Amino acid sequence: MADTAVLPAHRAGRETALRPRRRRRGRLTPLLYVLPALVFYAAFVIVPWLHSLWISLWEWNGIGVATWAGLANYIEVFADPALRSSLLHAFGFIVFYSVLPIGIGLVLAALVAATPWKAMPLIRTILFLPQVLPLVAVGVIWKWIYSADGPLGLDSSWLGDFTLAYPAVGLVGTWVSTGLCFLLLLSGIGKIEPSLYEAAKVEGCGPIREFWHVTVPGLRKEIAVAATVTVIAALASFDVVYVMTGGGPGYTTMVPGVQIYQLVFTAGRVGTACALATVLSLLTCAVMYGLNRLTRER
Amino acid sequence: MSRHLTRLALLTAAASVVLPFLAILSAALQPESNLTPGLEWPSDPHWENFATAWSSAGFAALLKSSAVIALGVVPLSLVLATLAGYGMATMELRAKGPLFALLMLGLALPYEAIVIPLYYDLRSIGLLNSYWAVILPLIGAFMPFGVFWMRSHFESLPKELTEAAQMDGASSSRVLTRVLLPTAWPALTTLGLLYFMWAWNHFLLALILIQDPAMRTAPSGLGKFVQQFGKNIPLLSAGTIIIITPIVLLYLFFQRHFVKGILAGAVK
């Protein structure tokens, strides 16, 4: 009931490809159809990425003459504590953007699957809402919530506190991702063989063992998908941090996105910024590749 | 017992989503001068804050820029993604592999990785501070998702559909426009709505590639507004509500498309 809108799309995605349906027409015809999209993609994504790679090998302030730097900028990314910590913060956000939402989503989905409820469509509408909002607006809303004399009635803003700012910003990621993870996992539970649950019952499994031995393994694919999407969001986080703290206080909430912005527009270290961008994109791709492998097995 | 626990958990989750909206709405209705702390409905709601935000704080102009960009991105992206999705679906497997990998890469690549060179490249060809500076890169960045989306739609169709038309001697473009396109409207609607949402919400490129205040988009305008007038909570809150309203309405009207698109998109 709750996931009717979700199921058909999944099914369509899972159907395997048709055989090539052309007869002996020009071999290049399909390529001609792909070409315009490819040109845009190459011109505005691939070429800039390669250009960034090139800039990262130079010492350049954005205006003057660039001098060859080789890999110095990359060494800087890992040696400079401020730059390195921005990467660590991005990876730390995985706890808030992925681990917590998937954990909460799993428990909620297991509970809901066992006891259907008429109000579920309305709940679903509400829980999914954070997914469609501009993250800048989300940041503004939460900045107000965390502020001194805000809705929580705090004495001083959590965002100005050196220890609280980071988890406070991270929890916004949890707020955004949890609904998505929950609905993804809920749609997956519907596809687990009911006989597995019956077998677990027969063997005398309680709800907790059933959760760990049937539900979680059965949702392996959905968990990996939720992890992929949310990890990418965590590593690329920019909007929320830019609006809420700008990376402060100190460097406590600095993430690569904000760091890159500052390196280019206030520090004039364009080469370093590009090196950080390259490292970030390689790490993101590596994580995505790893998670992808995890789903493909089986 | 477990039923009550479940409902309590769901209601808690739903409340945690709704409460921040109520908080920002209550803040938007406060008088500009003295803000009552805590979450409380103002006794004397200042609805005129919305009018102020709309006109003198310039949020109407921000919405216009966002609309121009979203309406520039969506139609062209849909056409390109449809053509490419069709091409991919009819392509021989051998040619597909590298193309597939190249497009997959684009799904993971953060905008941070391309925005700096885009800034300098677009500046050197004089496109910086124009709507094109955001429209063109967004179309490029939206291609991988759209191509995969349309391809999986075309591949889900029974192949008899196209084979019959080909027997009759229809060209590939005729097969696409006469046979396949009529089946594609639901898929295109979902994709169009997602594209619209992403273009409307997009921040990083808009912030950096359009720095002219007169052309800022809604999210980047809001981002700048926080920095300049962050203390003026009622106006800021009213502006925030103005900016999220179009996308929230769109979501409520086309909820099934959004949920289906985002969940299915995540699976790919």
Side-chain angles (χ1 to χ4, degrees), chain A residues 21 33 41 51 125 132 175 236, chain B residues 16 102 121 166 172 201 251:
Chain A
R21 54 187 90 147
Y33 283 96
Y41 176 58
H51 189 185
T125 305
V132 304
W175 185 79
Chain B
S16 71
L102 191 69
D121 295 343
Q166 282 173 342
S172 64
N201 289 351
Y251 165 66

Side-chain angles (χ1 to χ4, degrees), chain A:
Chain A
M1 171 205 66
D3 43 0
T4 39
V6 174
L7 282 173
H10 272 270
R11 229 175 266 143
R14 280 186 181 183
E15 244 153 59
T16 41
L18 293 180
R19 301 275 100 204
R21 54 187 90 147
R22 278 174 323 111
R23 288 182 303 164
R24 232 171 290 138
R25 235 169 262 282
R27 278 171 166 265
L28 290 177
T29 316
L31 202 61
L32 285 178
Y33 283 96
V34 179
L35 205 60
L38 211 56
V39 166
F40 266 85
Y41 176 58
F44 295 103
V45 178
I46 300 297
V47 169
W49 191 81
L50 292 173
H51 189 185
S52 169
L53 198 65
W54 176 243
I55 299 174
S56 75
L57 302 174
W58 296 79
E59 186 82 53
W60 186 41
N61 63 10
I63 304 156
V65 181
T67 51
W68 180 254
L71 292 177
N73 289 324
Y74 287 90
I75 293 167
E76 205 182 335
V77 165
F78 292 105
D80 184 331
L83 299 185
R84 196 177 53 212
S85 78
S86 76
L87 284 168
L88 292 177
H89 290 151
F91 274 90
F93 272 161
I94 292 175
V95 173
F96 294 99
Y97 279 69
S98 312
V99 178
L100 282 176
I102 291 174
I104 299 170
L106 267 174
V107 173
L108 271 183
L111 284 172
V112 171
T115 52
W117 190 17
K118 276 213 184 76
M120 203 39 217
L122 178 65
I123 302 270
R124 188 181 65 181
T125 305
I126 293 171
L127 290 185
F128 206 70
L129 191 59
Q131 278 298 312
V132 304
L133 296 178
L135 286 170
V136 179
V138 171
V140 171
I141 294 174
W142 280 92
K143 188 179 184 182
W144 160 236
I145 292 175
Y146 287 136
S147 66
D149 293 332
L152 294 176
L154 302 172
D155 290 330
S156 62
S157 171
W158 282 4
L159 299 177
D161 187 290
F162 276 77
T163 44
L164 288 177
Y166 183 74
V169 173
L171 279 175
V172 177
T174 313
W175 185 79
V176 172
S177 305
T178 300
L180 172 74
C181 292
F182 165 59
L183 291 176
L184 254 177
L185 297 168
L186 186 61
S187 80
I189 284 190
K191 280 177 258 159
I192 298 177
E193 281 285 322
S195 63
L196 289 176
Y197 283 104
E198 279 154 29
K201 286 251 158 48
V202 170
E203 285 179 29
C205 289
I208 304 217
R209 287 193 44 161
E210 185 185 278
F211 176 76
W212 285 113
H213 293 282
V214 181
T215 308
V216 173
L219 289 177
R220 218 176 90 125
K221 183 174 186 286
E222 281 76 13
I223 292 172
V225 166
T228 308
V229 178
T230 53
V231 166
I232 289 176
L235 296 181
S237 61
F238 173 77
D239 311 21
V240 167
V241 181
Y242 177 88
V243 171
M244 290 181 74
T245 64
Y251 275 97
T252 50
T253 59
M254 186 57 83
V255 289
V258 178
Q259 183 70 264
I260 287 165
Y261 182 86
Q262 290 190 355
L263 283 172
V264 172
F265 292 104
T266 52
R269 289 158 67 192
V270 183
T272 316
C274 284
L276 182 58
T278 307
V279 170
L280 178 70
S281 52
L282 290 180
L283 288 173
T284 311
C285 287
V287 169
M288 185 171 140
Y289 180 75
L291 287 168
N292 206 11
R293 287 293 297 265
L294 224 59
T295 26
R296 290 277 160 86
E297 284 167 28
R298 193 160 70 157

Side-chain angles (χ1 to χ4, degrees), chain B residues 170-185:
Chain B
S171 66
S172 64
S173 61
R174 251 185 106 77
V175 170
L176 176 63
T177 53
R178 294 295 159 83
V179 183
L180 297 180
L181 219 47
T183 71
W185 289 116

Side-chain angles (χ1 to χ4, degrees), chain B residues 144-188:
Chain B
F145 182 89
V147 174
F148 284 130
W149 180 261
M150 292 315 294
R151 172 187 146 266
S152 89
H153 167 74
F154 289 131
E155 287 188 342
S156 73
L157 298 172
K159 61 177 172 182
E160 289 78 17
L161 212 60
T162 46
E163 274 172 0
Q166 282 173 342
M167 291 293 189
D168 295 342
S171 66
S172 64
S173 61
R174 251 185 106 77
V175 170
L176 176 63
T177 53
R178 294 295 159 83
V179 183
L180 297 180
L181 219 47
T183 71
W185 289 116
L188 277 172

